[in-house]
Amino acid sequence: MSLLVVEDLHKRYGKEEVLRGVSFTLEPGETKVIIGPSGTGKSTLLRCINRLTEPDRGRIWLNGEEITSPRVNIYRIRAQIGFVFQDFNLFTHLTALDNVRLGLIRVKRMPKREATERALRELARVGLADKANAYPAQLSGGQQQRVSIARALAMDPKLILFDEPTSALDPELIGEVLEVMIELAKGGMTMLVVTHEMGFARSVADEIIFMEKGVIVEQGPPEAIFTRPKVPRTAEFLRKITEFYGEQG
Amino acid sequence: MELVFKWEWLPQLGRGLVLTVELTAACISMGAVLGLLLAIARLYARGPIYWLASAYVHFFRGTPLLVQLFMVHFGLAGWGISFTPLVSGIIAMGLNTAAYQAEYFRGAIQAVKRGQTMAALSLGMTWWQTIRYVILPQALRLVLPAWSNELVYMLKYTSIVYLIGLPDLMGVGRTIASTNFRFFEVYAVVALIYLALVLIITFGLRLVEARIKVPGLGAVRQ
């Protein structure tokens, strides 16, 4: 059974139709990378999946449970879906440790001691055990993003959504975040990643989705997409983005 | 004309001072609780609750405090609702400062970045948890300097309650002065006591501010 099923998702902001019928599935342990020009609804799609944005139409299932149903407890669902934001969104007033354990204590109602141990383990996993007591403002962008990944991981999510996790980073800080993500993918985490990092997409993704103007233009394994795309638009986009970002992203 | 000062004024003024401090503390706390609810209502509620909260804020900010005090103390009595002067003072000034505090809180809550809410919700937190554990801790830090001003204003504004017969610092000063006709000296002492109190409050709140300060979450000092 697919972990995530997205069926015919539509979203409109005023006159602009951002999503025009998007459908795809995600298998357990799979990493799918969504690529495509800016403003084609990639971020909106991710936000619809944990309903930070309400889709206008279409249905989503997580582990067989329809999460677009009006009867579903969306808070319980969100706790099972990690979300990593482009601009990190660490809680400004909390240390790295508190950022990671807040959800454990308040949402999962875990005892404080246990939550602290868990949070420290997740911080160690992203290589930041020594920064537990640092505030976000005292961390580099790359470190902040790794804390935010630890925050998502601590909740034991069934999948993690990454919304351009390296786009706000200085080039020299991108690598450390990608390394963590590569480790996660290898470890069997289910991931849906919106990114312009073509090197990452090519080497880590099980499948690539190319989106444009609110629809999926083409999807398939990285080798197929990168070397023999079926749709001319995909080829054109890939040529442009490799010119701009370079092969390794 | 020579200046006269009598030590015997001080114990009497001291009793007035206690009342002033109590009154200020009661009003400001009542205003803080009510103001926070009003701010949340104006930011997150829709329909009647939003309109009521907005009307409230506009009414209390748009009319003189003294008029509000007299409406509560003398006006309501005409409807059979009467309070002791102390209760009238607390109610009128508490309601008034609530409107101002609501605006400070609203601004501070709006200054908390939208991404913070998104991140909290994405962890599975409810709206109330998000407000309680993410938005308010940041907003309250941001609001503290502006809120300190409101506390100082309130302390000084309580001096109008002598008009409904309360023996606060100002009221006691007026009584002393009208018996010995040393208006300048007595009111100067009263003024100095207010000043000392304001300095203590200002200094105290700076200590609090420094204590809860977090890197990257700077309060805007005015």
Side-chain angles (χ1 to χ4, degrees):
Chain A
M1 187 177 67
S2 298
L3 181 71
L4 181 75
V5 178
V6 174
E7 189 186 277
D8 196 31
L9 220 55
H10 285 74
K11 178 68 187 178
R12 164 191 290 279
Y13 288 114
K15 281 202 166 147
E16 199 188 350
E17 209 172 357
V18 187
L19 296 177
R20 300 184 297 151
V22 173
S23 307
F24 68 94
T25 61
L26 195 61
E27 305 306 315
E30 192 180 25
T31 296
K32 255 185 198 180
V33 170
I34 305 176
I35 59 173
S38 314
T40 44
K42 304 183 302 285
S43 295
T44 305
L45 173 62
L46 289 196
R47 277 158 203 252
C48 281
I49 290 174
N50 70 355
R51 285 177 52 199
L52 283 177
T53 295
E54 287 294 339
D56 296 331
R57 211 167 85 214
R59 305 209 284 175
I60 302 167
W61 287 267
L62 180 70
N63 249 353
E65 181 182 8
E66 194 198 332
I67 64 173
T68 33
S69 152
R71 282 183 304 278
V72 83
N73 175 356
I74 191 58
Y75 303 111
R76 182 175 58 81
I77 300 298
R78 286 196 190 124
Q80 301 172 38
I81 303 178
F83 203 110
V84 174
F85 297 86
Q86 179 174 344
D87 34 15
F88 334 130
N89 291 340
L90 288 184
F91 304 126
T92 318
H93 63 301
L94 298 179
T95 61
L97 174 64
D98 282 330
N99 262 280
V100 179
R101 67 181 176 180
L102 183 66
L104 294 176
I105 294 171
R106 299 298 167 193
V107 177
K108 294 206 148 188
R109 309 257 169 227
M110 197 182 268
K112 197 165 180 183
R113 177 194 291 262
E114 201 182 321
T116 305
E117 281 170 15
R118 178 65 200 263
L120 287 171
R121 260 207 320 280
E122 295 304 341
L123 283 173
R125 186 161 158 191
V126 299
L128 290 171
D130 56 329
K131 297 286 183 189
N133 294 317
Y135 285 95
Q138 297 166 323
L139 298 171
S140 73
Q143 290 170 332
Q144 289 188 56
Q145 193 59 296
R146 281 147 67 199
V147 173
S148 96
I149 293 173
R151 179 173 67 179
L153 284 172
M155 298 294 286
D156 273 327
K158 294 207 168 73
L159 82 151
I160 303 184
L161 310 172
F162 292 83
D163 187 6
E164 300 201 26
T166 57
S167 295
L169 295 175
D170 292 335
E172 74 270 22
L173 301 177
I174 291 176
E176 61 189 76
V177 172
L178 290 182
E179 263 171 47
V180 169
M181 291 172 63
I182 292 167
E183 280 308 308
L184 286 183
K186 276 190 200 155
M189 176 57 72
T190 313
M191 297 163 48
L192 187 60
V193 185
V194 170
T195 186
H196 294 301
E197 296 296 326
M198 292 303 136
F200 174 85
R202 195 162 187 166
S203 59
V204 182
D206 297 301
E207 198 149 315
I208 308 270
I209 294 177
F210 173 57
M211 260 182 83
E212 191 174 47
K213 292 180 182 149
V215 291
I216 294 179
V217 176
E218 184 170 359
Q219 60 178 316
E223 275 321 296
I225 295 278
F226 279 97
T227 55
R228 41 190 151 66
K230 295 194 191 75
V231 185
R233 264 306 289 150
T234 314
E236 195 188 326
F237 171 78
L238 286 172
R239 188 174 49 74
K240 275 194 184 150
I241 199 142
T242 17
E243 264 172 26
F244 190 72
Y245 285 90
E247 184 68 22
Q248 286 313 306
Chain B
M1 197 177 92
E2 63 177 310
L3 292 175
V4 173
F5 172 78
K6 293 229 162 59
W7 286 102
E8 65 201 48
W9 299 346
L10 288 186
Q12 298 178 59
L13 288 174
R15 281 192 291 279
L17 172 64
V18 170
L19 184 63
T20 290
V21 169
E22 284 170 351
L23 193 59
T24 307
C27 297
I28 207 81
S29 331
M30 172 179 157
V33 174
L34 188 56
L36 198 52
L37 293 175
L38 285 166
I40 290 173
R42 290 196 73 192
L43 283 169
Y44 301 116
R46 277 175 214 166
I49 295 180
Y50 170 82
W51 291 112
L52 276 175
S54 300
Y56 178 99
V57 168
H58 288 302
F59 176 80
F60 280 96
R61 278 171 30 114
T63 55
L65 177 56
L66 192 56
V67 174
Q68 294 161 15
L69 180 67
F70 281 10
M71 277 181 73
V72 169
H73 190 65
F74 302 117
L76 290 181
W79 300 82
I81 309 169
S82 58
F83 304 110
T84 64
L86 181 63
V87 173
S88 292
I90 293 173
I91 291 178
M93 294 201 295
L95 293 178
N96 178 276
T97 181
Y100 284 92
Q101 292 189 48
E103 288 301 272
Y104 292 135
F105 288 139
R106 190 168 70 108
I109 290 173
Q110 278 176 318
V112 176
K113 292 197 182 69
R114 175 128 183 82
Q116 299 283 308
T117 305
M118 286 292 165
L121 291 176
S122 81
L123 288 175
M125 291 176 115
T126 62
W127 272 104
W128 276 115
Q129 286 178 322
T130 302
I131 291 174
R132 164 77 182 77
Y133 298 112
V134 175
I135 296 177
L136 284 186
Q138 299 186 37
L140 293 181
R141 283 178 171 91
L142 293 172
V143 86
L144 198 56
W147 189 85
S148 313
N149 290 342
E150 179 64 14
L151 178 51
V152 166
Y153 287 138
M154 226 37 230
L155 173 73
K156 293 182 294 178
Y157 286 149
T158 56
S159 63
I160 64 170
V161 294
Y162 83 89
L163 288 166
I164 58 170
L166 271 179
D168 73 325
L169 181 53
M170 176 64 193
V172 172
R174 189 165 172 272
T175 309
I176 297 173
S178 55
T179 49
N180 65 12
F181 302 108
R182 289 286 170 185
F183 291 102
F184 182 83
E185 292 92 331
V186 173
Y187 286 136
V189 173
V190 167
L192 284 175
I193 297 175
Y194 275 114
L195 179 62
L197 216 50
V198 166
L199 291 177
I200 291 169
I201 288 173
T202 309
F203 183 69
L205 284 174
R206 292 229 173 144
L207 286 183
V208 172
E209 219 176 289
R211 177 138 199 175
I212 62 172
K213 191 170 163 44
V214 155
L217 194 64
V220 187
R221 180 153 283 295
Q222 303 179 334

